[in-house]
């Protein structure tokens, strides 16, 4: 139920300096262009090529779709506010943006863990991989990802909808996220903060821990590889995956583990840019474009377009 007196919010964006608006517009447009096209290319390549219909690539397909939803729920609105003098978003639009962003946040965290588990099984139990990561297991894992993401999003969006916004309607951020909305609330936000804290511990820290444990087992298996070239390639892949995962989890944990009163939005906006803009752009490069099978799948897509 909408208990709000405020009918729309004003979004301040990353900066209020007019001289930087043009530069930021180009940067945001470029990021969206790279993230959207990169992830869409992965979606098309995996759907089009039956040879990529395996658990690893199905999980990559899911990650690409989540990244498209994440960036599309945020960046087009940012670009629109930069092009016009009207820097507002309706109450309903703000809640919709919050819902889809929170959904993608939860889905991405659980997907990273699921993908790490898939690689753990593939590297540590190669002979049993097909039996363990079969069609039913893949469907079950994706169902768990969806259930957790939807539950997480409904809980936090529902709790925000219960709040009353009767004072300032200015969001000191570049999109509608939980921390700046809690800071604007005229009603108590203790329940919201507790649920955010619980989600941060279970989803962010919990998933990050499980992901790191999986990669520890993977690295231990890599160390048993006899060829130096094999070790080098495996370590290169693992290190790049861990860097992207750390870039995502660290700012999320930092942002959501604190009470609303401790937020410093000038700094936190930059932190939020890491998991809303940078990671969705890097994911296609790190997880897919360096993969030989994916490269072959993408070439097939381009060959089909030529004909």
């Amino acid at each position: 139920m909408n208990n709000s007196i405020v009918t729309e919010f004003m979004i301040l964006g990353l900066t209020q300096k007019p001289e930087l608006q043009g530069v930021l517009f180009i940067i945001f447009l470029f990021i969206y262009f790279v993230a959207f096209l990169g992830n869409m290319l992965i979606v098309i390549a995996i759907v089009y090529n039956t040879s990529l219909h395996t658990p690893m690539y199905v999980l990559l397909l899911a990650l690409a779709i989540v990244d498209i939803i994440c960036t599309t729920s945020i960046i087009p609105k940012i670009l629109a506010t930069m092009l016009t003098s009207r820097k507002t978003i309706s109450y309903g639009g703000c809640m919709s943006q919050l819902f889809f962003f929170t959904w993608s946040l939860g889905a991405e965290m659980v997907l990273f863990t699921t993908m790490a588990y898939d690689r753990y099984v593939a590297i540590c139990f190669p002979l049993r991989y097909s039996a363990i990561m079969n069609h039913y297991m893949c469907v079950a894992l994706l169902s768990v990802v969806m259930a957790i993401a939807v539950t997480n999003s409904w809980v936090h969006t529902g709790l925000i909808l219960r709040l009353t916004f009767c004072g300032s309607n200015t969001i000191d951020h570049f999109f509608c996220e939980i921390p700046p909305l809690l800071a604007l609330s005229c009603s108590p936000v203790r329940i919201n903060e507790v649920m955010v804290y619980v989600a941060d511990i279970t989803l962010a820290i919990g998933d990050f821990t499980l992901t790191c444990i999986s990669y520890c087992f993977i690295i231990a298996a890599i160390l048993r590889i006899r060829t130096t070239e094999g070790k080098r390639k495996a370590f290169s892949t693992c290190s790049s995956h861990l860097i992207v995962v750390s870039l995502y989890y660290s700012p999320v944990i930092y942002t959501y583990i604190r009470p609303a009163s401790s937020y410093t939005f000038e700094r936190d906006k930059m932190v939020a840019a890491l998991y809303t803009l940078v990671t969705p752009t890097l994911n296609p490069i790190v997880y897919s474009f360096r993969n030989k099978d994916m490269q072959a799948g993408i070439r097939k897509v381009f060959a089909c377009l030529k004909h």
Side-chain angles (χ1 to χ4, degrees):
M1 180 179 177
N2 180 4
N3 294 318
S4 178
I5 296 171
V6 171
T7 58
E8 63 179 16
F9 294 98
M10 179 174 289
I11 301 176
L12 293 184
L14 273 174
T15 181
Q16 292 177 267
K17 297 177 180 178
E19 64 272 17
L20 294 177
Q21 293 299 317
V23 176
L24 286 175
F25 179 85
I26 293 170
I27 291 171
F28 276 116
L29 184 62
F30 176 76
I31 289 172
Y32 186 59
F33 182 80
V34 172
F36 184 84
L37 287 186
N39 284 296
M40 187 57 74
L41 188 58
I42 290 169
V43 171
I44 296 169
I46 294 173
V47 171
Y48 177 74
N49 292 279
T50 54
S51 61
L52 299 179
H53 293 179
T54 61
M56 183 179 83
Y57 294 108
V58 170
L59 293 174
L60 284 173
L61 171 67
L63 182 68
I65 292 171
V66 168
D67 284 336
I68 289 171
I69 292 172
C70 178
T71 51
T72 303
S73 68
I74 296 170
I75 300 181
K77 183 60 182 177
I78 299 172
L79 296 174
T81 57
M82 287 180 175
L83 284 176
T84 63
S85 57
R86 186 174 173 81
K87 301 184 181 298
T88 58
I89 184 170
S90 67
Y91 181 88
C94 184
M95 294 302 110
S96 297
Q97 189 180 69
L98 175 68
F99 177 84
F100 284 108
F101 167 71
T102 311
W103 177 87
S104 61
L105 189 72
E108 187 131 354
M109 286 189 286
V110 185
L111 267 173
F112 277 139
T113 305
T114 307
M115 291 165 66
Y117 172 73
D118 173 73
R119 292 298 83 206
Y120 159 72
V121 175
I123 293 171
C124 297
F125 304 99
L127 299 179
R128 295 174 57 196
Y129 177 75
S130 297
I132 296 172
M133 290 299 295
N134 54 38
H135 172 76
Y136 299 104
M137 175 61 81
C138 194
V139 170
L141 288 173
L142 287 175
S143 298
V144 169
V145 170
M146 180 61 70
I148 292 173
V150 170
T151 302
N152 178 63
S153 191
W154 271 118
V155 167
H156 293 298
T157 307
L159 287 172
I160 292 289
L161 285 168
R162 292 174 64 251
L163 300 179
T164 302
F165 299 97
C166 56
S168 172
N169 70 334
T170 303
I171 297 175
D172 193 1
H173 211 318
F174 57 90
F175 72 103
C176 291
E177 194 177 14
I178 294 172
L181 288 170
L182 294 185
L184 292 180
S185 174
C186 299
S187 49
V189 296
R190 182 61 181 166
I191 296 175
N192 298 71
E193 289 181 339
V194 169
M195 292 308 295
V196 166
Y197 184 80
V198 169
D200 201 41
I201 295 293
T202 55
L203 277 181
I205 297 177
D207 280 322
F208 186 44
T209 303
L210 290 173
T211 302
C212 288
I213 290 171
S214 294
Y215 277 107
C216 284
F217 281 112
I218 290 169
I219 290 168
I222 290 169
L223 290 173
R224 294 194 291 270
I225 297 174
R226 293 181 181 180
T227 62
T228 305
E229 183 65 18
K231 281 184 181 179
R232 188 189 65 79
K233 287 182 178 179
F235 271 122
S236 174
T237 302
C238 277
S239 60
S240 60
H241 287 190
L242 282 171
I243 288 169
V244 171
V245 165
S246 299
L247 269 176
Y248 192 79
Y249 281 112
S250 300
V252 169
I253 293 168
Y254 166 79
T255 299
Y256 287 98
I257 206 163
R258 297 168 298 149
S261 57
S262 67
Y263 295 129
T264 52
F265 293 110
E266 283 304 314
R267 181 182 65 220
D268 291 344
K269 281 188 279 190
M270 299 301 168
V271 173
L274 288 174
Y275 55 85
T276 56
L277 307 175
V278 176
T279 305
T281 308
L282 288 177
N283 281 343
I285 300 168
V286 172
Y287 282 99
S288 299
F289 293 158
R290 297 171 65 194
N291 182 290
K292 288 183 179 179
D293 292 334
M294 183 61 73
Q295 288 173 5
I298 291 170
R299 282 196 294 270
K300 285 183 181 178
V301 171
F302 282 118
C304 181
L305 290 174
K306 284 181 181 178
H307 295 297

